[in-house]
Amino acid sequence: MTTTLSAPRAALAGALLAATASLLAPTNLSAFYLTAVAAAVLLFAAFQSYLEVAEMLDVRTVLALAGNGLAGMLVMADAAIRSPAVLDPRAPDGASALALFALIVVMAGQSARLLRLDSRPLRDRLAPVRELLSR
């Protein structure tokens, strides 16, 4: 039995890890390490989303790619903020806010997959209405 890690699951796991890194880790160094691992997971999810866009280009896959890519960049910025102060006892200000915003971006990007976005032009979508009105 083979299991594959899908892009939405990887993105959610990485964003949750980044958002809870400061809560899970006893020191700033371990929080930095968890944030760096979360950034790698989010970049993996962004690459998987890119492959999905290459296979099937539609609005939902592009929004998921944009959300995963932006979240990966936000978590990398979080790690960059943490890196100069890895030996300090407390995390720098603003570090966890970026990770929390990354979690919100991932959830928004992945919720676009649940929406029934129709890529047809408005004229084609309203064709049944025009047919009923013409009777």
Side-chain angles (χ1 to χ4, degrees):
M1 177 172 87
T2 59
T3 59
T4 58
L5 184 61
S6 65
R9 289 180 183 169
L12 189 60
L16 281 173
L17 180 63
T20 59
S22 59
L23 297 174
L24 295 175
T27 65
N28 196 26
L29 180 62
S30 55
F32 169 73
Y33 178 73
L34 289 176
T35 304
V37 169
V41 170
L42 281 167
L43 291 177
F44 168 74
F47 180 69
Q48 275 190 324
S49 296
Y50 169 74
L51 293 177
E52 289 176 6
V53 168
E55 287 180 10
M56 183 180 61
L57 180 65
D58 65 349
V59 175
R60 290 179 287 177
T61 56
V62 170
L63 286 176
L65 171 62
N68 292 345
L70 180 62
M73 290 179 3
L74 287 170
V75 171
M76 285 192 310
D78 183 358
I81 289 172
R82 287 182 189 273
S83 65
V86 291
L87 298 178
D88 287 346
R90 64 180 185 88
D93 295 333
S96 59
L98 285 174
L100 194 59
F101 186 62
L103 177 63
I104 293 169
V105 167
V106 165
M107 291 175 69
Q110 298 305 327
S111 65
R113 289 176 176 258
L114 301 176
L115 297 176
R116 299 275 183 210
L117 297 175
D118 200 355
S119 60
R120 295 180 299 162
L122 182 62
R123 182 177 176 94
D124 293 342
R125 284 185 277 168
L126 294 177
V129 175
R130 283 194 329 258
E131 181 182 333
L132 288 175
L133 291 175
S134 66
R135 289 183 182 178

